[in-house]
Every structure is written in C-alpha cells, then in structure tokens.
Amino acid sequence: MSNIVQKDKYRSILHDEDENIQWRHGGPPTYGLVNHLFEQGRTKEWPEGSLEEIVQNGIKSWEMELSHKIRLQDFKTIVPEKFKLFVNGREGLTAEETLSLGSYNALLKSSLPENLKPYNSNEETFESSHEVFKSAFPRGFAWEVIKVYTGPPEIAFKFRHWGFFEGPFKGHAPTGKIIQFFGLGTLKVDDALKVEEVEIYYDPAELLGGLLSNGDSTKTSACPFSG
C-alpha cells in the first residue's frame, strides 16, 4: 500500500512546508470524501485560474483553516487583525470570535426564542457543533460557487452548499435525502487576495428544516421552519 498522500487540488495551502503550524487534531486534515461528493454533485466546473475557481478554492481553504488550525497566526487566507464575518446582517464577528465559535455556530446564530431554536449555537461548543454535523453528513457538506458577479477588491458571489442526510441529527433519524441551500456572499480582499471581511446571506431554514421535518424521527420536535 502506498504511503504517498495525494495533494488536495482545492486547498493548496494544506501542503505548505511549515512545521510550526499547530493543527487542532495533531496534523493536517484530509478531504477525500467531501471532494468526491463535490465532484459528483457540483453544477459548475470552472476553468483553472478563473476568478470563480479562485473564489471557490479560497473559501474552501478558509473553512479548512477555521476548522483545523488553532492559531490565527497560522492562517494564510485572511488578514486576522482586520477580519470580520457578517452573517445575515448581524453584528460582525472578529477573527478571534469566529475561531472560538467555529463555522457552524457562527453561521447558525439565531434570534428565535430559546424554546424554538432547532439548533442552539449558545449551547454548543466548537467541538460539539462539528460532531453534530459530521454525524448528520458523514460524507461531508460540499460547497461550490455558482456565479461571481464582481471582481476584487469587493467580490460578490452566489454559492450552493449540499450534503446527504445519512446520519442522526440530534435524535432525528436520517433520511438519506440531499439537503442543500443557496446563498449570496461578498469578500473584501487586499492586494494579495487575503480576506478582510466576509458577508454571507442565506436562509438557515433550508438546512435545518430538512434535518428536522423529513422522514421519521427518534424523538418529536416542533420545527418552526416547517409549513
């Protein structure tokens, strides 16, 4: 059996020869499963070197760093001292806040009453949030750029996020069905294309509604997104 690790074609910074990077799980991650899901299910295949491909791979690389690196000084996709993440018009999160919360908790903050939140980011840690969605989407949660509207320094784009609900989600039985949502985003970047601000708009109901209201559940729950 070969010990050669295939290079990740979408996250080139995974292969930087920097032994000082501190990884959350002891070493760089592998993305074989979700890359396969992405290649099977993508609706666009962008030319190499195109702005669409650069944006798509840049977001994938940022998500990798956010999920697997523990020090902002090791990030290569953002400008940590300037970085802000804005989701659905909410107050911006700093790089430190985003790293502490994790991507799922940052993207799923909600103003719903506590008893109606189908996912409560205030009750989840970085680790527990990733376990919840890793359980629900064992093959990963793929992401693609659908369209890029403007180029740098203010990049506007449309995206699609999808996966197959093949594992339990907070007591709700898997259906095997695809769950996907679309959204719009902007990136403010510097001359080196490092990100200073990310703004994302999407409907969380498209994600959470599918995890809660389809098929049989192992427990009952009122879903505020159904109907």
Side-chain angles (χ1 to χ4, degrees):
M1 180 180 294
S2 173
N3 291 323
I4 297 174
V5 177
Q6 272 197 326
K7 286 197 171 186
D8 191 300
K9 62 179 105 171
Y10 309 114
R11 303 166 185 85
S12 61
I13 60 172
L14 262 175
H15 310 290
D16 287 349
E17 299 294 331
D18 187 348
E19 297 180 356
N20 297 315
I21 292 175
Q22 293 187 13
W23 296 99
R24 189 173 296 274
H25 303 292
T30 57
Y31 283 88
L33 280 175
V34 75
N35 284 349
H36 184 61
L37 178 67
F38 166 73
E39 289 165 0
Q40 282 189 315
R42 62 186 167 186
T43 61
K44 306 285 186 180
E45 190 166 353
W46 301 113
E48 185 175 350
S50 65
L51 180 59
E52 291 85 356
E53 187 204 44
I54 290 169
V55 172
Q56 183 168 268
N57 291 354
I59 294 288
K60 289 177 187 287
S61 296
W62 170 61
E63 185 281 329
M64 178 277 295
E65 292 193 304
L66 182 58
S67 297
H68 294 281
K69 292 181 177 180
I70 61 176
R71 302 186 306 179
L72 287 173
Q73 69 194 64
D74 294 331
F75 279 49
K76 294 177 168 56
T77 57
I78 67 170
V79 183
E81 63 273 16
K82 293 183 178 180
F83 182 84
K84 286 275 190 174
L85 170 64
F86 301 89
V87 180
N88 289 335
R90 297 183 179 281
E91 184 178 351
L93 297 169
T94 65
E96 291 85 355
E97 290 169 330
T98 306
L99 181 59
S100 175
L101 287 169
S103 54
Y104 290 112
N105 286 337
L107 291 168
L108 287 168
K109 281 185 169 292
S110 171
S111 56
L112 284 168
E114 291 294 309
N115 64 324
L116 290 180
K117 289 181 179 179
Y119 176 90
N120 192 338
S121 61
N122 295 325
E123 296 178 351
E124 302 289 346
T125 65
F126 182 111
E127 290 77 14
S128 70
S129 67
H130 278 260
E131 285 303 316
V132 164
F133 288 97
K134 186 177 179 181
S135 167
F137 300 112
R139 286 192 281 160
F141 204 33
W143 192 93
E144 70 170 335
V145 161
I146 298 293
K147 187 175 180 65
V148 174
Y149 299 98
T150 59
E154 294 270 1
I155 301 169
F157 60 95
K158 181 180 181 181
F159 66 89
R160 171 180 172 246
H161 221 337
W162 77 98
F164 288 87
F165 184 17
E166 296 170 326
F169 175 79
K170 289 189 168 292
H172 294 266
T175 64
K177 295 180 180 179
I178 189 172
I179 291 179
Q180 64 181 338
F181 64 86
F182 296 82
L184 297 171
T186 63
L187 302 173
K188 181 181 178 182
V189 299
D190 68 7
D191 291 341
L193 297 183
K194 290 191 174 184
V195 177
E196 298 178 352
E197 291 183 4
V198 180
E199 193 159 0
I200 297 292
Y201 289 91
Y202 80 106
D203 182 1
E206 293 184 340
L207 168 62
L208 296 172
L211 290 169
L212 297 176
S213 60
N214 292 340
D216 296 325
S217 295
T218 58
K219 68 177 182 180
T220 58
S221 173
C223 176
F225 299 117
S226 61

